[in-house]
Amino acid sequence: MTSVLSQIEIDNYHRDGFLSPLRVLSSNKVESYLRKYRTFYLCHNPNFDAKSVLRSKPHLVFPWLYDLVTSPAITDHVSKILGPNLLAWGSSFFAKQAHDAGFVSWHQDANYWGLEPHDVLTAWVAFSPSKASNGCMRVIPGSQLGAALEHQDTFSKDNLLTRGQEIIAGLDENQAIDLELEPGEMSLHHVNIVHGSEPNKSNIDRIGFAIRYISTEVKQIAGKTSATLARGIDQFGNFDHEPRPTRSFDKESQHIRNEALKRQHDVLYSGAKQR
Ligand SMILES: O=C(O)CCC(=O)C(=O)O
């Protein structure tokens, strides 16, 4: 199914900071993934918070997600932009159920992730339709080429970001465009692009799986964290490598994920007044 990006698409990505839509999964495949997602999300086990597992590196506890993160269907595209050797530094479901007040404030990821240089992008894979009507992602084309804008932490209840971080100055919302996707399509966006999304005011869930890819040359500026080798080889060793889980959500994979998150959260919450 994967057709390699053309030079025009690669140039467009470098100019605009995003590329969308790209088909990466068949309808059957994405339906089966959505069923697995919902089975876990709706399991109502009082011993754990399924939502928080799905929000941070769930590919370390679910083999099917690990396989998606490392799948050529996605990395064939990403490698055309970041080069042949790729790590997945993170993964997160961004889910807004029908009539969900959850939103994502305007922000630039580069301000928070402590990754240099900025050979870093997100592949946002739609598990459901993602449209303007149900709060699809919005981006400001070309903003990745601009400066780092000033942000503040809000920790607002309905904000889906770790710190509820939002841009406080220098934003021109009129320039924003919607990245509408069908299930099984993905968008790519640059780590410095200004982006966000509105609440879901519709009857249709909006569920996306965001995978953070970096070139193996990228460094974690403060501290050493871990990442998943998604493609090629790692000659730099800037990150400890994360193993593929053997069984879904077993004790061993939960332990590995917890350890990886402790290290990553030290970076993500660096300088924050709460966690
Ligand atoms: O899913 C959204 O609406 C926003 C996702 C996002 O901020 C990201 O993937 O970096």
Side-chain angles (χ1 to χ4, degrees), residues 76-142:
D76 278 357
H77 293 298
V78 177
S79 64
K80 288 282 159 203
I81 293 169
L82 296 182
N85 302 314
L86 299 174
L87 293 162
W89 179 76
S91 69
S92 277
F93 277 97
F94 281 91
K96 300 175 198 167
Q97 311 306 315
H99 301 288
D100 191 331
F103 70 101
V104 174
S105 47
W106 291 109
H107 68 288
Q108 291 164 300
D109 295 321
N111 284 22
Y112 294 89
W113 292 356
L115 296 169
E116 294 287 345
H118 287 171
D119 294 326
V120 180
L121 65 73
T122 293
W124 198 101
V125 183
F127 275 40
S128 71
S130 184
K131 304 285 172 163
S133 53
N134 65 350
C136 68
M137 209 167 61
R138 313 193 73 213
V139 299
I140 302 201

Side-chain angles (χ1 to χ4, degrees), residues 183-259:
E185 291 180 339
M186 75 167 178
S187 57
L188 302 177
H189 68 268
H190 187 277
V191 69
N192 201 42
I193 199 167
V194 173
H195 62 294
S197 65
E198 298 285 318
N200 182 354
K201 295 185 179 135
S202 80
N203 294 325
I204 298 172
D205 294 352
R206 194 223 70 162
I207 297 160
F209 182 53
I211 312 165
R212 319 309 192 172
Y213 290 103
I214 64 178
S215 134
T216 48
E217 287 167 49
V218 167
K219 288 199 176 97
Q220 188 80 67
I221 292 309
K224 193 170 189 192
T225 59
S226 61
T228 297
L229 186 61
R231 188 185 179 101
I233 50 167
D234 181 0
Q235 291 176 316
F236 295 89
N238 293 334
F239 296 82
D240 292 329
H241 289 185
E242 299 159 337
R244 181 182 185 276
T246 43
R247 278 191 299 274
S248 279
F249 211 62
D250 63 350
K251 278 216 162 64
E252 192 190 345
S253 64
Q254 287 184 57
H255 174 73
I256 288 168
R257 173 179 169 273
N258 289 343
E259 291 302 307

Side-chain angles (χ1 to χ4, degrees), residues 124-193:
W124 198 101
V125 183
F127 275 40
S128 71
S130 184
K131 304 285 172 163
S133 53
N134 65 350
C136 68
M137 209 167 61
R138 313 193 73 213
V139 299
I140 302 201
S143 55
Q144 84 287 353
L145 299 172
L149 300 175
E150 198 182 340
H151 290 63
Q152 68 182 5
D153 293 344
T154 66
F155 292 99
S156 142
K157 179 171 79 62
D158 292 321
N159 196 319
L160 300 182
L161 298 177
T162 45
R163 306 158 63 138
Q165 58 266 39
E166 65 181 18
I167 291 171
I168 51 178
L171 175 72
D172 181 2
E173 241 181 277
N174 294 326
Q175 304 297 318
I177 62 157
D178 295 319
L179 300 188
E180 294 201 319
L181 298 171
E182 298 295 341
E185 291 180 339
M186 75 167 178
S187 57
L188 302 177
H189 68 268
H190 187 277
V191 69
N192 201 42
I193 199 167

Side-chain angles (χ1 to χ4, degrees), residues 1 22-27 30 125-128 182-186:
M1 164 174 311
L22 298 164
R23 165 121 337 241
V24 288
L25 297 172
S26 66
S27 308
V30 75
V125 183
F127 275 40
S128 71
E182 298 295 341
E185 291 180 339
M186 75 167 178

